Amino acid sequence: MHHHGYTWLGSAHDLHKDGPRRPLHPEFRSSKVVPLELAHWLLKPTSFIQGTWTDPQEAAEWFGGQARASAPSFASEHERDDDRLANTVNRPVDRAAQGEDVVGGWYLTGQRFLSVCLIACSPHRMRPDIPCPQAV
């Protein structure tokens, strides 16, 4: 079991377009926008993978680092709260250790959206039929 890390930072407008977020859409593989179904990240090109970890602690540290780096730009003051942010970045360890996906999404200033995902792989618990993108 391992996790692949993916991020997407883009226009909230692009996030609301369902087409390119679905595997059957012609733009799906080239679109960096977060898929509607998280396991479908594994169908994207390997160049989209930001990192791969077998250690849940290391995966969670990457996740937390991504969230903390963008926290000053979170559109919601509530999301920027130190206690809430600490909970957000500490929670992923247990979930990753259980083989679950870990997902964070935040609206940022300037009508942008940040998605940070740790996607479980080999196999994915909900989509065991999707092979590891690094093994293909």
Side-chain angles (χ1 to χ4, degrees), residues 39 56 59 73 76 91 101 115:
S73 296
S76 166
R91 188 181 52 220
D101 296 335
S115 174

Side-chain angles (χ1 to χ4, degrees), residues 6 18 32 39 45 51-52 62 65-66 69-70 78 86-87 90 95 100 115 119:
Y6 297 90
D18 284 2
K32 291 189 176 187
T52 299
W62 173 83
Q66 298 297 308
S70 295
H78 176 72
N87 183 47
N90 292 332
R95 292 180 53 209
E100 296 179 20
S115 174
I119 305 300

Side-chain angles (χ1 to χ4, degrees), residues 8-134:
W8 177 74
L9 173 62
S11 163
H13 177 73
D14 290 341
L15 183 68
H16 295 212
K17 293 180 189 174
D18 284 2
R21 299 177 66 196
R22 297 176 187 275
L24 295 178
H25 193 277
E27 295 174 24
F28 175 78
R29 285 198 37 87
S30 63
S31 174
K32 291 189 176 187
V33 69
V34 62
L36 286 174
E37 185 176 331
L38 296 170
H40 289 160
W41 270 122
L42 302 174
L43 299 173
K44 298 277 192 171
T46 57
S47 61
F48 288 16
I49 298 172
Q50 302 287 310
T52 299
W53 302 270
T54 55
D55 180 354
Q57 180 67 41
E58 291 176 7
E61 287 173 8
W62 173 83
F63 181 92
Q66 298 297 308
R68 279 191 294 280
S70 295
S73 296
F74 288 173
S76 166
E77 186 175 325
H78 176 72
E79 295 289 342
R80 291 190 304 264
D81 177 75
D82 289 337
D83 290 336
R84 180 165 175 79
L85 186 59
N87 183 47
T88 298
V89 301
N90 292 332
R91 188 181 52 220
V93 177
D94 293 335
R95 292 180 53 209
Q98 295 173 24
E100 296 179 20
D101 296 335
V102 180
V103 180
W106 300 271
Y107 283 96
L108 306 178
T109 57
Q111 297 183 352
R112 298 171 298 149
F113 189 85
L114 171 67
S115 174
V116 180
C117 302
L118 288 171
I119 305 300
C121 189
S122 291
H124 187 276
R125 67 174 21 175
M126 302 301 289
R127 291 290 191 168
D129 54 312
I130 299 177
C132 176
Q134 292 181 325

